[in-house]
Amino acid sequence: MIDRELVIIGGGPAGMAAAVAAHESGVKNILLLERDQYLGGILNQCIHTGFGLHYFKEVLTGPEYADRFIKKIRFLKGLDISLQSFVTRLTRDNVLTVFKPGKFLEIKARALIMATGCRERTREMVHTAGTRPSGIFSAGLAQKLINIEGLLPGKKVVVIGSGDIGLIMARRFTLEGAQVKAVIEIQKETKGLTRNVVQCLEDFDIPLYFSHKVSRIYGVNRVQGVDVEKVGGNFKALPGSRFYIDCDTILISAGLIPENELIEMAGVVMNKETNTPVSEKLNTTSIPGIFVCGNSYQVYDVVDSVTRDSERAGQQAAEYLKRL
Amino acid sequence: MNKYDIVIIGGGVTGTAIARELSRYRLKIALLEKEAELAFGVSKSNSGIIHPGTQNHPQSLKGKLCVEGNALMREVAAELGVDFKEVGELIVGFDNEDAARLNGLKKQAEELGVPGLEIVGRAWLEKNEPNLSPEVVAALYAPTAGVISPYRLVYDLSENAARNGVEIFTQCAVTDIEAQGEEDGFKVHTSRGEFPVRYVVNAAGLFADDISKMAGINNFTITPRKGEEFLLDKKREYITRHLIFPLPTRKSKGVLVIQTSDGNPMIGPTAREIDDKEDLSTSDEGLKEVLSSARRMVPAINDRDIIAYFAGLRPSAGDDFIIRHEDRAPGFINVAGIQSPGLTAAPAIALMVVDILKDNGLKLKKKLFFHRHRDKTPHIFAVTPEETKKLIKKDARYGEIICRCEMVSRKEVEEAIDRGAVTLDGIKFRTRAQAGRCHGGFCTTRLMKILSDKTGQPLKYITKRGKGSEIVIGGRADD
Ligand SMILES: Cc1cc2nc3c(=O)[nH]c(=O)nc-3n(C[C@H](O)[C@H](O)[C@H](O)COP(=O)(O)OP(=O)(O)OC[C@H]3O[C@@H](n4cnc5c(N)ncnc54)[C@H](O)[C@@H]3O)c2cc1C
Ligand SMILES: Cc1cc2nc3c(=O)[nH]c(=O)nc-3n(C[C@H](O)[C@H](O)[C@H](O)COP(=O)(O)OP(=O)(O)OC[C@H]3O[C@@H](n4cnc5c(N)ncnc54)[C@H](O)[C@@H]3O)c2cc1C
């Protein structure tokens, strides 16, 4: 068993900001665990601009924003970074199980900050009937395929949901030469940022249908098309409103779910609706010494808010350790 | 001279169980499957239950083979290193009339030879199945019901059959069967050439009627009966301790609350006759029906916990299985209409087919050595931390997690590919990677790269389940 003052899980913008803040507040025995091969979290695949407007008062891309923090934490004395380190278990008394290539570690932390980000809602969660061919992607997966792997997922695209990632990806696909046929949103308005609606859809003449849903997916091996229907007040389809769109690709951009299975496993009291911890004070949980920050604490629109939120969590963890 | 003694058409649980059983003997056997991998037919989408035999007519072939299969499956699973969990089932009744039917069901099942049956009341249920609806007044408890991973069973059967000499051909669609004259066998035409053979075993699932017609036997048709199933998050693993069944209707066993061998609960299936043998779509109505029926028995089930769904088609040819030698095409054996409980019955069906072959002139000589055992494939999600430590020490790749939701390591993925997986679905069925709550959002690109590295296929040729289901349309540079 390895003992640590403070362990931070997740090396995205949240984990990095929390690490810097805790370090500045005097904690000098910190371990940051990141399951990927690099720091930066989801920012690595966000190669568009629009990051840092508030925090740095500059217009940065995702990787540039991340890089500012990576440069900072690399050289902090008393902060160890462990990449390819996957936390798979957490117990009530702060013992972590970590998988690394060739290693299986158990770590006891006096305090813990969870900065594990979100996962995307899937087609299953938005209950879309029809077949299950290839060609259905979460918007984030499509983003990773294009921006990181250099692969084009498809050529005729329908986007389900008008979350920011879906809007950004509608533009990305268009720039890659694909045709985005429509963005289908079941609500009366979008949860996405107005600037994204303008810059990603309107500028490219991509139709956005409010109060509509994809009611069926067709295709045996590959997606062939979808049925779209207008919905009424109770989200029930309106008779006679159905139309068909021919497409080979469907993106799901129906929101994010904070990834909090580890603290749930440890017995933290959870809000089942949001999959976040019930906390009396910001960033805290029902188990003293376990803090949560960034997108795993609350889904934020912009990374600047994630950074601020996580700095607060880092400071709180430091105070908690001082009081112990 | 025929090149093969036996050709088995169909690489589902029926075909592979028959292949493994026959591989004990000195025979030249080929197993032909049209899909990219085995277990891509009915055997991939079912409830995974090893039924005790409680719902079958005492005089039916299905019922007899189900009870025999249930007993044999334990042995087969142990030999092949597949997990078989004997969880037991409860058929529940909501009022006195139901309770009377439970007694009738018990009598009927005892006639079939189902062991250990017991009628249990409220007190027992409250203690042993606390999440059951308080409205359930009594249940028929069948302790021998179990669960198994249906696709892993198929892969392990086929692997063991191959180890014992069976030749397996995938992407090999049978297109015609030509009789070579009385006693001379057949020439089986396929997309991969001709197979001259003495005996043909037709285990082609939904397409068994088409295959039978090719051999000139046109005495049954297969009607697909669709079943939609909905899988819940592994977090809800302990929502029930047994399989929960309603009282059966004439057409089906009804909607069940199922435990699966890997821990996720599942609810379903529906039962609806359709015409299209490729229609695996799910529907809003199906979801509604399954949810309300399942909740009636276990009210704690929540639609928020649903992480995946699928549909399977039961290949029905009337009420019972058709397993027989067709005298008008000597050497041709139909194993058709293998609907539920076909998974359970598979080992018993295999024995029956061996007997039929023997009765029709096949000489059976045991091999000097039959590899009965197959080493169990380790899965990180299924072993203790102590065992995990040992595995990682032995092979560093067990420490590299590829699928975050289901806890699948690089080693397991590479092993699946070494064992024959060539598609993402093939990896999923063998390892569970992509089968969890994020649906491959995290691991898809990782899996594509491993598959591409190991097989040499460029990324853009990687498919979900064979040709036509490529994951991406192309690289950006080469448009
Ligand atoms: C397409 C897209 C567009 C966006 N556009 C903008 C924009 O224009 N402007 C803007 O300000 N914001 C934007 N955002 C939002 C911003 O990227 C997020 O708010 C931010 O990345 C969230 O940070 P995080 O650290 O909480 O989560 P993440 O970045 O997701 O980081 C979480 C980290 O935790 C690691 N981790 C998780 N679980 C474990 C575990 N068990 N063990 C070890 N490590 C683990 C993960 O690997 C990951 O590195 C966008 C996001 C997306 C996806
Ligand atoms: C919803 C559902 C739930 C079920 N639940 C259970 C359960 O809990 N317990 C239980 O015991 N049973 C259950 N069953 C039944 C069980 O799944 C089937 O009985 C069993 O899988 C049938 O296996 P098979 O090998 O006969 O068919 P398949 O698995 O379909 O195999 C036939 C194979 O033949 C191949 N093929 C077809 N045509 C050709 C051709 N021309 N050339 C080459 N190959 C060809 C197909 O591609 C296929 O792979 C369920 C079924 C369904 C649909």
Side-chain angles (χ1 to χ4, degrees):
Chain A
M1 184 93 69
I2 303 162
D3 279 294
R4 286 285 185 167
E5 281 274 294
L6 176 63
V7 174
I8 299 171
I9 306 178
M16 293 195 290
V20 172
H23 192 270
E24 281 171 359
S25 312
V27 190
K28 298 286 140 72
N29 178 359
I30 309 175
L31 175 64
L32 186 148
L33 299 166
E34 167 55 49
R35 65 185 169 197
D36 227 318
Q37 288 171 354
Y38 20 68
L39 296 171
I42 206 75
L43 293 178
N44 288 313
Q45 64 186 62
C46 300
I47 60 172
H48 56 282
T49 57
F51 297 82
L53 292 170
H54 307 281
Y55 194 80
F56 291 113
K57 308 271 183 288
E58 276 181 70
V59 182
L60 305 172
T61 64
E64 283 169 346
Y65 189 95
D67 199 49
R68 302 242 165 141
F69 285 88
I70 295 173
K71 286 213 174 89
K72 215 169 189 172
I73 69 170
R74 275 259 167 80
F75 303 105
L76 293 182
K77 262 212 162 72
L79 168 70
D80 296 321
I81 298 165
S82 179
L83 299 175
Q84 284 193 290
S85 302
F86 208 123
V87 181
T88 59
R89 230 165 84 90
L90 173 61
T91 66
R92 173 164 274 286
D93 44 5
N94 281 5
V95 177
L96 300 157
T97 304
V98 183
F99 278 67
K100 281 184 85 154
K103 288 203 183 100
F104 179 90
L105 309 172
E106 283 181 312
I107 301 174
K108 172 136 179 91
R110 291 182 70 208
L112 201 67
I113 300 178
M114 308 297 298
T116 46
C118 286
R119 63 174 173 272
E120 296 177 272
R121 285 172 56 117
T122 62
R123 169 256 177 114
E124 281 70 19
M125 290 173 193
V126 292
H127 293 328
T128 312
T131 53
R132 284 161 308 288
S134 121
I136 306 172
F137 303 89
S138 68
L141 173 57
Q143 184 181 44
K144 186 151 86 179
L145 284 165
I146 296 182
N147 291 352
I148 309 260
E149 309 301 339
L151 297 167
L152 189 61
K155 291 193 168 151
K156 290 179 285 179
V157 186
V158 167
V159 184
I160 299 181
S162 64
D164 280 318
I165 316 181
L167 300 176
I168 302 260
M169 287 315 294
R171 175 174 66 186
R172 192 86 195 98
F173 268 91
T174 310
L175 294 175
E176 291 301 333
Q179 190 191 357
V180 179
K181 299 263 181 123
V183 176
I184 311 293
E185 171 58 63
I186 194 165
Q187 305 284 347
K188 289 200 192 84
E189 53 198 32
T190 174
K191 283 212 182 80
L193 299 170
T194 314
R195 71 161 196 245
N196 283 337
V197 176
V198 175
Q199 292 170 9
C200 300
L201 301 187
E202 290 173 9
D203 289 359
F204 295 91
D205 293 327
I206 297 169
L208 168 58
Y209 294 87
F210 289 119
S211 299
H212 277 72
K213 71 167 185 183
V214 168
S215 55
R216 204 168 182 86
I217 296 173
Y218 296 93
V220 174
N221 286 320
R222 178 84 196 184
V223 172
Q224 275 169 355
V226 293
D227 276 341
V228 178
E229 287 177 289
K230 193 169 168 53
V231 299
N234 48 6
F235 298 127
K236 283 235 164 67
L238 299 179
S241 67
R242 183 159 71 218
F243 61 98
Y244 178 81
I245 304 181
D246 164 62
C247 62
D248 61 25
T249 300
I250 296 166
L251 299 191
I252 314 287
S253 176
L256 300 169
I257 300 172
E259 190 129 271
N260 280 316
E261 277 59 39
L262 288 168
I263 56 171
E264 188 181 4
M265 210 185 286
V268 163
V269 180
M270 301 290 293
N271 175 339
K272 292 242 151 58
E273 290 290 329
T274 55
N275 210 38
T276 53
V278 174
S279 45
E280 277 181 17
K281 230 173 101 204
L282 287 173
N283 302 105
T284 61
T285 67
S286 62
I287 299 184
I290 299 186
F291 301 86
V292 182
C293 68
N295 266 2
S296 50
Y297 183 67
Q298 182 188 319
V299 182
Y300 288 101
D301 284 339
V302 294
V303 70
D304 310 67
S305 325
V306 165
T307 302
R308 291 248 152 72
D309 174 89
S310 306
E311 288 173 343
R312 184 175 57 222
Q315 286 153 6
Q316 281 190 60
E319 278 160 34
Y320 169 83
L321 284 167
K322 269 180 219 150
R323 272 187 274 115
L324 266 193
Chain B
M1 243 335 256
N2 286 320
K3 187 154 176 250
Y4 291 95
D5 297 305
I6 301 165
V7 159
I8 300 163
I9 304 172
V13 70
T14 309
T16 53
I18 295 169
R20 189 215 181 210
E21 196 51 48
L22 286 169
S23 72
R24 296 173 194 270
Y25 304 97
R26 284 199 240 160
L27 297 166
K28 195 155 164 65
I29 304 166
L31 181 127
L32 315 182
E33 168 56 55
K34 71 176 161 72
E35 300 293 328
E37 297 193 38
L38 305 183
F40 276 21
V42 184
S43 299
K44 77 159 186 288
S45 36
N46 54 59
S47 308
I49 299 171
I50 301 306
H51 290 291
T54 41
Q55 277 103 330
N56 301 111
H57 195 274
Q59 262 72 55
S60 63
L61 180 59
K62 299 202 276 206
K64 172 176 173 288
L65 294 174
C66 181
V67 176
E68 290 173 15
N70 180 297
L72 289 167
M73 191 60 85
R74 294 144 206 274
E75 207 179 303
V76 172
E79 288 178 351
L80 298 179
V82 195
D83 285 325
F84 170 79
K85 291 189 197 155
E86 190 176 51
V87 293
E89 80 181 26
L90 293 168
I91 305 178
V92 300
F94 288 91
D95 53 32
N96 288 341
E97 203 180 304
D98 285 359
R101 281 189 64 201
L102 290 175
N103 277 313
L105 217 57
K106 176 165 181 272
K107 270 222 192 78
Q108 188 180 309
E110 278 168 345
E111 238 177 278
L112 255 176
V114 181
L117 298 173
E118 208 183 314
I119 302 279
V120 294
R122 264 312 315 159
W124 190 99
L125 293 170
E126 264 157 44
K127 178 156 166 253
N128 295 293
E129 195 58 272
N131 280 335
L132 205 58
S133 160
E135 279 162 34
V136 171
V137 295
L140 173 59
Y141 173 49
T144 53
V147 295
I148 205 162
S149 159
Y151 15 85
R152 256 180 253 139
L153 175 64
V154 173
Y155 293 129
D156 295 348
L157 280 167
S158 71
E159 210 175 291
N160 188 243
R163 173 106 206 269
N164 288 299
V166 174
E167 296 170 38
I168 296 176
F169 299 83
T170 50
Q171 284 182 302
C172 183
V174 172
T175 51
D176 197 12
I177 299 171
E178 198 185 325
Q180 303 284 77
E182 199 85 2
E183 306 297 307
D184 284 342
F186 307 87
K187 199 182 270 172
V188 177
H189 296 265
T190 79
S191 55
R192 291 180 63 180
E194 292 170 2
F195 292 77
V197 64
R198 176 67 192 89
Y199 293 92
V200 172
V201 176
N202 170 18
L206 288 162
F207 301 91
D209 50 353
D210 299 342
I211 298 287
S212 186
K213 263 181 229 152
M214 292 178 196
I217 307 294
N218 191 2
N219 54 18
F220 64 92
T221 43
I222 301 279
T223 309
R225 202 166 66 251
K226 190 191 279 192
E228 299 181 27
E229 310 238 33
F230 301 83
L231 208 70
L232 309 187
D233 198 306
K234 219 181 223 171
K235 287 182 198 172
R236 307 309 304 269
E237 181 161 0
Y238 301 107
I239 198 161
T240 66
R241 298 178 186 169
H242 304 86
L243 301 158
I244 313 291
F245 286 59
L247 274 158
T249 62
R250 222 186 69 75
K251 271 273 161 231
S252 93
K253 300 187 182 74
V255 169
L256 325 175
V257 179
I258 302 163
Q259 297 188 317
T260 59
S261 80
D262 294 333
N264 304 63
M266 189 160 79
I267 53 177
T270 55
R272 208 160 56 84
E273 282 188 4
I274 60 168
D275 330 305
D276 181 355
K277 290 177 176 178
E278 293 194 329
D279 174 8
L280 292 174
S281 63
T282 53
S283 64
D284 293 341
E285 304 76 58
L287 173 61
K288 227 190 259 155
E289 179 197 332
V290 166
L291 261 176
S292 77
S293 311
R295 270 198 195 133
R296 178 160 185 241
M297 300 187 290
V298 183
I301 288 170
N302 193 316
D303 69 339
R304 258 207 314 273
D305 294 321
I306 294 174
I307 60 160
Y309 32 88
F310 62 84
L313 304 176
R314 306 168 183 88
S316 110
D319 280 339
D320 214 342
F321 295 163
I322 296 175
I323 305 175
R324 64 186 173 217
H325 178 258
E326 299 289 356
D327 294 339
R328 282 175 30 241
F332 187 82
I333 290 133
N334 268 320
V335 187
I338 309 299
Q339 49 178 312
S340 190
L343 177 67
T344 312
I349 293 175
L351 288 177
M352 184 173 168
V353 169
V354 173
D355 281 341
I356 293 175
L357 285 162
K358 202 158 72 181
D359 290 347
N360 287 281
L362 178 68
K363 298 255 174 321
L364 293 174
K365 263 192 255 142
K366 283 229 154 119
K367 280 179 187 153
L368 232 41
F369 193 74
F370 170 65
H371 300 277
R372 178 184 308 277
H373 292 282
R374 199 195 140 266
D375 284 340
K376 188 174 171 137
T377 310
H379 294 287
I380 294 291
F381 67 77
V383 303
T384 62
E386 291 320 306
E387 290 171 78
T388 308
K389 242 180 241 172
K390 275 190 216 145
L391 287 172
I392 296 178
K393 211 163 179 188
K394 213 170 69 188
D395 191 322
R397 291 172 294 171
Y398 279 115
E400 188 178 342
I401 299 292
I402 298 292
C403 165
R404 68 168 168 203
C405 304
E406 298 293 314
M407 230 32 96
V408 183
S409 67
R410 172 181 281 273
K411 168 70 183 177
E412 290 158 77
V413 173
E414 293 193 2
E415 193 166 33
I417 299 166
D418 291 338
R419 292 174 57 206
V422 292
T423 66
L424 291 192
D425 273 0
I427 294 177
K428 174 166 80 183
F429 293 151
R430 287 173 177 87
T431 66
R432 290 197 62 73
Q434 315 158 79
R437 56 182 82 94
C438 94
H439 258 253
F442 182 76
C443 64
T444 299
T445 55
R446 290 167 168 84
L447 296 174
M448 288 172 73
K449 277 195 227 168
I450 298 175
L451 193 53
S452 166
D453 283 349
K454 279 192 78 80
T455 59
Q457 314 173 63
L459 285 172
K460 65 174 185 182
Y461 294 131
I462 303 283
T463 67
K464 177 170 162 58
R465 54 167 169 256
K467 230 175 161 24
S469 68
E470 284 72 17
I471 306 297
V472 297
I473 300 242
R476 282 186 292 158
D478 57 25
D479 277 320

